[in-house]
Amino acid sequence: MAKLTRRTIVRLAAAAAGATLMPRAAAAQQRIVLNDASRLSPTPVARHWVVGDDPETAFVERLRREMKEARAGNRAFVVGGARHSMGGQSLYRNATAATFETKLCELDTAARTYRTHAGSRWIYLLQELDRAGFSPAVMQSNADFATAGTLSVNAHGWPVPFGPFGATVRSFRLMLADGTIVTCSPTENAELYGLAQGGYGLFGVILDMVVDMVPNALLRPTNELMPAGEFSPRFVAAIDGDPTVQMAYGRLSVARRDFLRQALMITYRPVPNQPARLPPVSAGGLMSSASREIFRAQIGSETGKRARWAAETVGNPAISSGIATRSTLMNEPVANLAGRDPLRTDILHEYFVAPDRFDAFLTACREVILRSRQDLLNVTLRYVKADAVSALSYAPVPRIAAVMLFSQSVTPEAEADMLAMTEALIERVIAIGGSFYLPYRLHARRDQVERAYPGVARFVAKKREIDPGLLFRNTMWDVYFA
């Protein structure tokens, strides 16, 4: 027998330990971690199912099976598309996560509607509708996202005079927690119709939907520079008083020396003598003439912010007519603005205020944001028509939406500062009768959510009634509602 030396004992022990730990190591290597657009929400999931272009019958059967297995394993079931939310609204720890990446577009030109699958991306739908001379009535301002995600957050866009996307959805099919499929519309399962619009996937899985479309058109912009205090009445007057305006938005200067004191209003009207054949939809959209480099040069730079404002208000209108089709204007990829610095991330905020409280909102922003350490790169202003259907309506009356993009350092200190700034700004917005958008960082207090959204108590009660086992959960449910 070989001599049992100390070295041999150590080797045998190491081998035994390796054999014991190998299954755990293998399991650790197989762990699936998903994230969202903030890059601040890494979430391990138990299972990730990427849904491709499966035949409908096979897809429905697989969906029921995945939900059943998740329920049997005491796991949540959560669905996502592009996962562009920023606080885990399409994520849940140790859940079964499904990512929809499907395509479907069936047009009914007589009814001016299209039927689309939950996972269809807007960039695909723009192309399909464009071939027939149509355009989505409403969509998100970027074309990378999935249609069911747009309905689940009830996003709005900058076509006017519309409310949120849900107002243009005539019906959708929803799979409930028990596998039942129901059709929801203003006349059929009307309560679910309102709950699932901006319901963040908490009531079921949206399968497909029938949505309004409008004729495409070649549009020309009108640019008007003005003091920010004049923007609100002029913006509303242009939208309410001129039926030829099809799209409209505004910008605010973010340079500190005149912070939110200058505004640019852009309205789009059809060009006279529309061509018999419109140019095909192309990529580009709003930022095609303002280079990404100019936009990104604003980070930490007052000079960069002034240069960007000069480019948008003077340079771009001087060198380009801005004429484009309605569909091309909406065909804006996220990559046109996306940052590439791994030490920073882009964080969105959005606030909704009545037009007559817009000046008070600007005052609140100047006082709160300038006291923080956050770097505001952009403010886009849009019009949102009143929404009386969705249970969590952010616009119970017509409101101006202010979409803000911040560049945030990826550090605990910056995250804490962002939380404090967000909480303070939300408080000021609620005080003037406004609301804030839920798909972003979960930095609001629960009492702020309840005050901005008076329908929360009913929303939560119906959730527990329709999904008593809480199969459909996400991180936002735990933070704001559970």
Side-chain angles (χ1 to χ4, degrees):
M1 178 181 289
K3 185 177 179 181
L4 195 63
T5 64
R6 182 176 180 274
R7 180 174 293 181
T8 302
I9 293 172
V10 170
R11 286 178 177 172
L12 289 170
T20 302
L21 293 175
M22 274 184 64
R24 294 183 182 179
Q29 290 175 357
Q30 293 171 6
R31 198 173 200 195
I32 303 166
V33 178
L34 301 180
N35 211 328
D36 57 29
S38 71
R39 296 191 287 116
L40 299 174
S41 306
T43 304
V45 297
R47 181 173 175 80
H48 183 209
W49 172 34
V50 179
V51 185
D53 291 317
D54 294 334
E56 182 166 323
T57 301
F59 158 69
V60 168
E61 291 175 355
R62 173 77 181 272
L63 178 58
R64 287 193 176 112
R65 187 167 68 251
E66 293 285 349
M67 288 168 48
K68 182 178 180 180
E69 290 177 2
R71 187 164 46 247
N74 197 28
R75 299 191 304 270
F77 189 86
V78 62
V79 175
R83 287 195 167 84
H84 200 73
S85 55
M86 295 187 168
Q89 289 87 347
S90 58
L91 298 168
Y92 198 77
R93 190 176 184 87
N94 297 326
T96 292
T99 297
F100 283 12
E101 297 180 354
T102 50
K103 290 182 179 180
L104 175 70
C105 185
E106 298 175 350
L107 274 64
D108 184 339
T109 55
R112 290 193 174 183
T113 62
Y114 59 97
R115 175 176 171 261
T116 184
H117 193 278
S120 297
R121 300 302 195 258
W122 284 110
I123 190 169
Y124 158 75
L125 291 173
L126 282 167
Q127 294 167 351
E128 294 298 306
L129 269 62
D130 186 77
R131 292 189 184 99
F134 288 91
S135 182
V138 171
M139 58 168 277
Q140 287 176 266
S141 59
N142 291 105
D144 313 72
F145 311 139
T147 52
T150 301
L151 184 60
S152 292
V153 303
N154 209 16
H156 65 89
W158 53 294
V160 295
F162 294 101
F165 173 65
T168 70
V169 177
R170 298 199 186 182
S171 66
F172 57 86
R173 291 193 305 153
L174 188 72
M175 182 178 287
L176 304 178
D178 63 2
T180 302
I181 297 175
V182 296
T183 297
C184 303
S185 73
T187 58
E188 189 174 0
N189 295 302
E191 186 174 43
L192 263 176
Y193 177 74
L195 289 165
Q197 294 182 33
Y200 295 85
L202 293 171
F203 292 89
V205 179
I206 297 167
L207 304 180
D208 53 27
M209 61 192 81
V210 177
V211 192
D212 288 334
M213 61 187 185
V214 299
N216 198 12
L218 195 63
L219 305 178
R220 173 186 285 125
T222 299
N223 299 271
E224 300 176 68
L225 188 62
M226 64 192 72
E230 297 179 12
F231 178 83
S232 177
R234 292 176 65 174
F235 191 53
V236 173
I239 294 167
D240 288 348
D242 187 348
T244 67
V245 174
Q246 291 195 13
M247 306 186 82
Y249 71 98
R251 297 266 200 243
L252 293 172
S253 170
V254 296
R256 295 181 77 89
R257 71 177 182 183
D258 56 358
F259 190 68
L260 309 185
R261 295 187 185 280
Q262 292 185 39
L264 178 66
M265 183 174 77
I266 303 94
T267 51
Y268 283 83
R269 298 166 178 83
V271 302
N273 304 316
Q274 290 281 307
R277 189 176 185 84
L278 295 176
V281 62
S282 60
L286 289 177
M287 294 304 298
S288 58
S289 55
S291 75
R292 184 187 170 281
E293 288 72 20
I294 291 176
F295 188 83
R296 286 289 153 186
Q298 296 181 101
I299 298 175
S301 171
E302 180 72 2
T303 300
K305 288 178 171 63
R306 291 200 298 269
R308 183 274 173 107
W309 187 245
E312 188 155 27
T313 58
V314 180
N316 291 343
I319 64 176
S320 172
S321 69
I323 294 175
T325 66
R326 190 181 188 278
S327 293
T328 290
L329 289 168
M330 293 193 288
N331 193 25
E332 177 79 32
V334 174
N336 276 10
L337 291 177
R340 297 169 185 165
D341 185 347
L343 301 180
R344 304 192 69 84
T345 185
D346 291 343
I347 299 298
L348 289 167
H349 287 211
E350 190 163 354
Y351 300 94
F352 305 91
V353 295
D356 61 356
R357 305 310 304 272
F358 186 67
D359 283 353
F361 169 71
L362 293 179
T363 298
C365 290
R366 295 184 193 110
E367 294 175 358
V368 173
I369 296 173
L370 291 178
R371 285 201 303 261
S372 75
R373 297 193 297 273
Q374 300 305 319
D375 199 349
L376 179 61
L377 302 186
N378 186 67
V379 182
T380 298
L381 304 171
R382 302 187 189 127
Y383 175 86
V384 184
K385 192 175 180 180
D387 166 31
V389 174
S390 57
L392 296 183
S393 174
Y394 49 75
V397 298
R399 285 179 169 168
I400 292 177
V403 186
M404 300 179 171
L405 188 148
F406 293 87
S407 176
Q408 178 189 320
S409 175
V410 184
T411 64
E413 294 78 13
E415 179 73 352
D417 180 70
M418 177 63 81
L419 189 155
M421 185 201 74
T422 305
E423 184 177 309
L425 193 50
I426 287 173
E427 194 65 24
R428 294 288 294 272
V429 169
I430 292 173
I432 60 174
S435 60
F436 63 98
Y437 204 18
L438 295 174
Y440 301 133
R441 300 295 292 154
L442 302 176
H443 288 164
R445 299 193 310 266
R446 188 172 290 204
D447 71 280
Q448 291 178 322
V449 177
E450 293 169 350
R451 285 184 287 142
Y453 291 88
V456 161
R458 172 178 167 266
F459 180 87
V460 172
K462 297 306 296 185
K463 158 67 177 175
R464 294 186 178 278
E465 175 187 325
I466 295 168
D467 180 18
L470 301 182
L471 175 66
F472 304 116
R473 302 194 300 281
N474 54 32
T475 305
M476 187 175 73
W477 168 261
D478 281 2
V479 176
Y480 286 163
F481 304 128

